[in-house]
Amino acid sequence: MKLGMVGLPNTGKSTLFNALTGAGADSSNYPFSTVESNIGRVSVPDSRLLRLAEIYKPEKLTPAWLEFADIAGLVKGASKGEGLGNRFLASIREVDAIIHVVRCFEDETVVHPDGSISAKRDIETVNLELVFSDLEILERKLERTKKMLKGGGEFKKEADFLEKIIAYMSEGKTARSYETDEYEQGILKDVPLLSAKPVIYAANMNESDFPDAFENNTHYKYVKEAAESENCAVLPVCAKTEADIATLDEEDRAAFLSELGMAEPGLNRIIKQGYALLGLISFLTAGPQEVRAWTIRQGTKARQAAGKIHTDIEKGFIKAEVIAFEDVDIYGSTAAAKEKGLLRLEGRDYIIKDGDVVLFRFNR
């Protein structure tokens, strides 16, 4: 999974990126301090892995990983190449989901490119540039479809849909807020729309807004409304606080989070939101050599999940030995859970569930 962090200049985007990844990206107080996308790779926190490591004492512990990309700041006209627009849009095409960092804090020492703070305007600025870029793609698609119409009427339904969504998005609305049926989703799968990508709105606020005052922040209220209207996730954060948390060891971090009234740091919350948005889960493999988490999409069948480990396992798939993590946790080992009759032999069409501990049997 790759998450792209976007936002206007000086939203705190690079500060938050550094706090989450420890990647050391430039977070200077001037526009376009981020030019090339900075990439950070972080492990996915999963307490189940630690428990399995206690049980199996493996030589190696391998968590699931995800990438964060700190993408160059955007300005009006990016879809026409203004600022770092072309680079910005190309970077967004490469990510699975977007973390849109929205400035919800007042600070005279941190300049805003438009001279004042407005979460509403900032969200509209970013979304409009994505929409303008998408409209160019959709209009070209419509033009090609209309040419094919001359040979017969089979493309009329597609052309009618493209005209409808173009009219809808011409009002400044994103593709992700447009309700589609299965046929329409099939058409859009072949069109790489930026404004259709899943979004987490990260509302970056002052330290004083936490732990329980952020609901009174007027900018945050708008971000929340915007997220709801687009069926997106919203996450209240303080990039400065997250940066402070990132410098602490585990014990001090827990105490600091407790003082702030926070159950977990922003990284954990963003990962959970990202997994939920993209429909991702993790299955686990465990043994004395390695305990490992594997990320797959919900609904993945056993044979395809085996291919995540190695294509040879997928090709030679025989059966999957499956035990729920909760049962391994309770009984202390897969062997003990098996004695209780909790191990299941599943075929290639079994749908892997989150937390399944799996051993694949296959022909070599």
Side-chain angles (χ1 to χ4, degrees), residues 271-333:
I271 289 172
K272 286 179 181 177
Q273 293 277 19
Y275 265 58
L277 270 181
L278 295 171
L280 301 175
I281 61 171
S282 293
F283 74 90
L284 310 165
T285 54
Q289 289 185 316
E290 183 180 32
V291 166
R292 182 163 181 166
W294 305 85
T295 300
I296 56 173
R297 292 196 178 274
Q298 288 178 351
T300 298
K301 294 180 179 180
R303 186 179 179 188
Q304 285 69 48
K308 186 79 175 177
I309 299 173
H310 200 286
T311 53
D312 287 349
I313 303 178
E314 181 176 5
K315 290 174 184 175
F317 180 93
I318 300 173
K319 290 287 183 183
E321 296 184 2
V322 182
I323 305 178
F325 165 77
E326 290 76 14
D327 293 330
V328 179
D329 183 28
I330 291 170
Y331 293 103
S333 72

Side-chain angles (χ1 to χ4, degrees), residues 123-137:
I123 288 174
E124 289 174 351
T125 295
V126 172
N127 282 347
L128 281 174
E129 295 307 322
L130 302 185
V131 166
F132 291 153
S133 177
D134 288 347
L135 283 172
E136 289 184 16
I137 294 172

Side-chain angles (χ1 to χ4, degrees), residues 1 3 5 16-22 40-46 64-68 99 200 235-238 241-243 245-246 253 257 262-275:
M1 179 169 65
L3 301 177
M5 300 183 70
L16 183 60
F17 170 81
N18 285 335
L20 298 180
T21 67
R41 191 167 182 255
V42 299
S43 61
V44 176
D46 192 335
W65 293 88
L66 64 83
E67 282 188 348
F68 284 95
I99 302 173
I200 301 170
L235 195 68
V237 297
C238 174
T241 298
E242 294 297 335
I245 291 171
R253 185 178 302 175
L257 287 169
M262 296 168 61
E264 55 189 353
L267 174 63
N268 298 34
R269 292 182 288 143
I270 286 175
I271 289 172
K272 286 179 181 177
Q273 293 277 19
Y275 265 58

Side-chain angles (χ1 to χ4, degrees), residues 171-192:
E171 297 177 359
K173 299 174 182 176
T174 60
R176 61 181 163 268
S177 65
Y178 186 90
E179 292 189 14
T180 55
D181 59 28
E182 189 173 345
Y183 168 77
E184 293 166 341
Q185 289 168 13
I187 295 172
L188 292 182
K189 277 183 181 177
D190 297 326
V191 188

